[in-house]
Amino acid sequence: MFFSYLKYIYYMMESINSDELVIGGGLSGLMYGLTAVTEGRSVIISEAHHKVGGYATNFYRNKRKFLFDCSQHKVTGLNKDLGNLWNALDRLGLQSLINEFHFYNELTTVVYKNRFITIPSDPEHIKEALISYFPEERWGIEKLFEDILTYGYQHYMFSRMLLNEYTLNKDLLRESRILSKLTTREYYKKLFKKNDIIEVLSSIAIYLGAISHEVNAFYFLHFLYATFYGGQSYIKGTGQRLSDILLKEFLDRGGEILKKNPVYEIESRGDYIQATTKKKLIEAQRIIATCSPNDVVTMLGREKVDDSFLKILDSFQIGWGHFCVYAVTSVPPEELGLTCSEYLLVSDNGDYFTEDDFESDLYYDILTLSVTNYHKIDSSGGYIIQFIILDHGDKWFNLSEEEYNDRKEKVQQKIIERVYQTFPKLENKLIYVESSTPKTNYRFTLSTQGSAFAYKVLPKTHLGMLNNFPNDKINLVSSWVSGPGYESAMCLGFTQALLLNNKKALKHV
């Protein structure tokens, strides 16, 4: 009787057609959809949440008095003519969006062994600052920037190479392969004499959702090029402002959005592919999946996917999520010692942790802790500060509700106490506090294990192996196949939409 009812519901659902269905309205999906409709294709975006953006969203508290950003606040690639994201937005005619971005005066301030080490935003000034802080490491710093401008730049230009807009320098390939087999920490140890500069430079890996003794050095050099030379910027109104502008452009150019409409199942039907969602049956000639590849396999049915691809998928490690403390101060944070927009608090022993440290939760005392003064970035949101540390879903998903709440409270207090050690004036000045965990992230984004940074980019890990999904009507377009970050997600959506448009013209179902 129950299955007959489900069958009845299935046949009663409205069926709609489109050239393409995009699963997920995060930044990859929005950029893909916007580019595709600009190229003349009909596109439907199906989003499970009531708002678009994925991690680029926000939320209000206290009768909309306080505005919190859900994820990172740094967007790279907006330097004119140098940044890939600037190039993509300019080609889409989104100059008004480009003008929404504001550049930081400094990249960050690293707090290590009671030293406040401010890293500027301009790449030459970054080099000068590092040499002034660590004069004995001049050779290694010079070599680092040389590698950023060669190997890092070439990796950064990979998407432009796919569009035949960049010619590969084959002389760099051998060393690039060597770098991809090293962790960033191993690479740093080849450059520098002492650990202090290694710990300072390792701390900024938090923007990549990575740890230096895990992430491969070749990809990290790409990240450093994007961060140092691509330009670090933000939009007032948090990441949600960026997402909302992209959505408006997508709709204005003819796209369609279905919110609160998760996709449950996808099935090949000869000349087209069908998706069963909460509200509709959608028939499309192509599906663009911006969710985790693991979720795509589940929607399609694992038994329908080639074993060779499943083995590739199973070889990847789910990346880090984060634990975030959202707080409001009773007075402007600047009066409490937070005079910069951001600080990275590094333990005296650095970022390296062992498996035992992870199992015992000691890593909460070891990993880089980001302290962001959102009031300095955008005062309209209130006296907002946020503390973020990388965390993993393994620690949160198997707990009972009581265990979960107890653990959440303990971790929150541990993080706050760490912040107090650097900024003692904050104590007794927090008038509102709440936290999110990887499980919270999963609840609102459905990202596998609550990961905020997709798969880990480990040594010998090649995300490009995921580009050839065994069903030619399904394309994976997300940070899961390109690497984490706002710029990476948006540029992949733009590039893939152009590449797929160059294939045989689609016909309506």
Side-chain angles (χ1 to χ4, degrees), residues 244 254 362:
D244 290 345
L362 188 60

Side-chain angles (χ1 to χ4, degrees), residues 16-25 28-47 247 249-258 282-290 493 497-498 500-501 506 508:
I16 56 177
N17 300 334
S18 182
D19 288 337
E20 296 179 332
L21 166 65
V22 178
I23 301 177
S28 293
L30 290 169
M31 276 294 282
Y32 183 95
L34 173 56
T35 307
V37 295
T38 303
E39 293 288 306
R41 306 203 291 275
S42 61
V43 180
I44 296 172
I45 296 177
S46 189
E47 166 58 41
L247 175 61
E249 289 289 337
F250 169 70
L251 296 175
D252 288 348
R253 299 185 192 192
E256 182 179 353
I257 181 80
L258 298 173
I282 304 174
E283 297 174 355
Q285 291 193 16
R286 181 184 292 136
I287 282 183
I288 307 301
T290 71
L498 291 182
L500 291 174
N501 194 55
L506 294 171
H508 284 281

Side-chain angles (χ1 to χ4, degrees), residues 122-141:
D122 177 83
E124 288 305 314
H125 292 161
I126 294 173
K127 185 194 296 188
E128 293 170 3
L130 289 174
I131 291 173
S132 70
Y133 286 120
F134 307 102
E136 72 282 5
E137 304 285 5
R138 175 183 286 272
W139 179 87
I141 294 168

Side-chain angles (χ1 to χ4, degrees), residues 27-229:
L27 293 179
S28 293
L30 290 169
M31 276 294 282
Y32 183 95
L34 173 56
T35 307
V37 295
T38 303
E39 293 288 306
R41 306 203 291 275
S42 61
V43 180
I44 296 172
I45 296 177
S46 189
E47 166 58 41
H49 199 22
H50 73 272
K51 60 167 72 175
V52 298
Y55 281 102
T57 53
N58 60 27
F59 63 94
Y60 286 93
R61 286 293 184 268
N62 197 6
K63 299 180 179 179
R64 300 180 69 86
K65 184 177 180 181
F66 308 135
L67 179 62
F68 295 110
D69 201 345
C70 290
S71 65
Q72 70 183 71
H73 49 278
K74 281 186 168 63
V75 184
T76 59
L78 269 298
N79 270 348
K80 184 177 181 180
D81 298 326
L82 288 177
N84 283 338
L85 184 53
W86 182 92
N87 173 72
L89 297 176
D90 183 64
R91 289 164 67 169
L92 286 171
L94 295 177
Q95 289 77 17
S96 60
L97 174 54
I98 292 174
N99 293 333
E100 292 261 352
F101 287 92
H102 306 269
F103 287 92
Y104 285 93
N105 293 323
E106 68 277 330
L107 174 62
T108 192
T109 295
V110 181
V111 183
Y112 176 60
K113 293 184 176 179
N114 297 319
R115 296 176 71 190
F116 284 67
I117 301 170
T118 297
I119 301 178
S121 59
D122 177 83
E124 288 305 314
H125 292 161
I126 294 173
K127 185 194 296 188
E128 293 170 3
L130 289 174
I131 291 173
S132 70
Y133 286 120
F134 307 102
E136 72 282 5
E137 304 285 5
R138 175 183 286 272
W139 179 87
I141 294 168
E142 296 281 2
K143 181 65 167 66
L144 171 63
F145 276 80
E146 178 185 319
D147 288 351
I148 291 171
L149 288 171
T150 51
Y151 308 111
Y153 174 70
Q154 177 144 294
H155 195 304
Y156 180 76
M157 294 298 287
F158 181 73
S159 61
R160 302 284 282 275
M161 184 185 70
L162 294 176
L163 297 173
N164 294 317
E165 297 171 1
Y166 172 78
T167 302
L168 192 72
N169 183 347
K170 295 182 180 179
D171 293 338
L172 300 178
L173 293 180
R174 180 178 178 276
E175 186 64 23
S176 297
R177 284 192 288 269
I178 294 173
L179 288 167
S180 71
K181 296 176 183 179
L182 297 175
T183 68
T184 298
R185 184 169 287 269
E186 289 170 338
Y187 165 71
Y188 280 158
K189 284 185 175 295
K190 292 177 179 290
L191 294 184
F192 303 119
K193 302 172 185 177
K194 298 180 179 179
N195 281 337
D196 284 3
I197 190 172
I198 293 176
E199 303 308 343
V200 169
L201 289 174
S202 291
S203 68
I204 61 177
I206 191 174
Y207 301 139
L208 194 63
I211 300 166
S212 67
H213 67 270
E214 290 185 341
V215 64
N216 90 53
F218 184 42
Y219 188 83
F220 198 74
L221 286 169
H222 159 182
F223 161 72
L224 289 179
Y225 180 86
T227 302
F228 290 176
Y229 290 88

